[in-house]
Amino acid sequence: MQALAPRLDETEAQPAHRYSLYGLTVHSDVPLPELPPAMGEASADLLILRRPLPEGPHGRFSPARVDLFWDTVGRFRVEPGLVTVDPAAGVSDDLVAFPLLGPVLALALHQRGLFAFHASAVSVNGRGAVMMADKGVGKSTTATALISAGHGLLADDIVALTGDSQPILLPGFAQVKLSDASLARLKVPGAQTRPQVHDAIDKHRVLLPAHVAAKAVPLGRIYALERGSAGQGPAVLPVQPAEALPLVLRFAYAARFGRDLLNGAAAARHFRQAATLAATGT
């Protein structure tokens, strides 16, 4: 992993919120009730600071710095150990959290040397079951059904792994995003449905604090979710060895941002991690 987060200048106020996720301690200016609180007085591995950012292009990508911009949310800068957030006027912290705990966080994990990809994962008998699929196919619904059966949630949306020869799945945070139909059908004890934050967001944020996996687990198996044909339900298919590497590379978060982010040593590390994940999970 890369160096710990940059330390604040002595004149700067310490972030008010302290969280733990993916094995990291996070100190944040932005309240993120989705995240579990950090225990003890550990120093920050990742700082999230609310600061003004200069105007610029909607996206700038390099291994050492990423700038992102959404018209309806604001600007974000991702540097090793530091995420700077500049919300648009009038935007709620709940709406800021959508990209912050999505692609922004995934890029911060990538900068630390973790392999982050778009998937859902649960812990089944001490090993991680990872489900990959296109948006809307049912990753979160499948994960929640497994949670209802007594298995622990590792992550929904961002799955992060560490380890070279044996990939280890790191617990993220206890939130899933469910459609109206899935929310009505799946009943998980202790589930907390959070209010909608934007008319364009059609999924419900559901907190499952009592059902998150207690620890990191080794990768068990990768599965692909596919939409069913007319009259049939969706299918959950074990990934075959020849299909695994293309699938892993396709759903990796870093791959969304092109060659400016993945080049040189960063690209080589990314491909090695993907190859190990593909070989282990089939």
Side-chain angles (χ1 to χ4, degrees):
M1 288 193 181
Q2 297 192 9
L4 297 182
R7 298 296 173 242
L8 291 173
D9 184 273
E10 291 182 0
T11 62
E12 292 188 272
Q14 293 290 327
H17 309 283
R18 298 164 55 85
Y19 304 108
S20 176
L21 77 166
Y22 299 107
L24 307 177
T25 298
V26 178
H27 295 186
S28 176
D29 280 342
V30 180
L32 298 166
E34 302 92 333
L35 305 187
M39 299 292 105
E41 297 297 326
S43 58
D45 300 308
L46 179 65
L47 286 171
I48 301 174
L49 303 181
R50 199 192 302 259
R51 301 287 188 273
L53 286 170
E55 293 187 8
H58 280 212
R60 174 178 173 175
F61 309 102
S62 72
R65 192 182 104 187
V66 176
D67 290 312
L68 298 169
F69 173 66
W70 287 269
D71 290 328
T72 56
V73 183
R75 299 183 181 278
F76 299 82
R77 176 167 291 173
V78 187
E79 301 168 278
L82 173 65
V83 173
T84 305
V85 181
D86 185 6
V91 172
S92 70
D93 290 333
D94 271 356
L95 187 52
V96 168
F98 268 83
L100 179 57
L101 296 180
V104 175
L105 175 60
L107 289 167
L109 296 174
H110 171 77
Q111 287 180 345
R112 291 190 64 85
L114 301 177
F115 190 88
F117 55 103
H118 188 218
S120 295
V122 296
S123 178
V124 179
N125 298 325
R127 302 187 74 82
V130 175
M131 292 151 287
M132 299 183 188
D134 291 322
K135 182 178 180 180
V137 174
K139 296 183 299 297
S140 300
T141 299
T142 304
T144 305
L146 289 167
I147 293 164
S148 298
H151 303 293
L153 175 67
L154 284 161
D156 185 46
D157 189 36
I158 301 174
V159 175
L161 299 101
T162 186
D164 295 325
S165 59
Q166 172 61 65
I168 302 297
L169 289 163
L170 302 171
F173 52 98
Q175 179 175 270
V176 296
K177 296 175 183 175
L178 298 175
S179 66
D180 288 336
S182 294
L183 183 65
R185 185 170 68 253
L186 297 169
K187 304 298 183 183
V188 182
Q192 304 167 21
T193 303
R194 305 179 65 201
Q196 296 291 94
V197 298
H198 196 280
D199 291 342
I201 298 172
D202 59 357
K203 286 195 173 182
H204 300 276
R205 302 170 299 156
V206 181
L207 293 178
L208 304 171
H211 300 278
V212 69
K215 61 182 181 179
V217 298
L219 173 65
R221 189 75 191 251
I222 300 170
Y223 297 89
L225 275 60
E226 294 185 358
R227 290 185 175 90
S229 57
Q232 295 182 334
V236 181
L237 307 172
V239 175
Q240 301 304 309
E243 304 167 342
L245 183 56
L247 190 73
V248 169
L249 290 171
R250 175 185 169 194
F251 288 108
Y253 262 99
R256 299 181 177 189
F257 304 107
R259 293 182 179 179
D260 289 341
L261 183 65
L262 285 176
N263 58 62
R269 183 193 72 205
H270 180 79
F271 189 82
R272 287 196 303 270
Q273 290 173 317
T276 300
L277 169 59
T280 305
T282 56

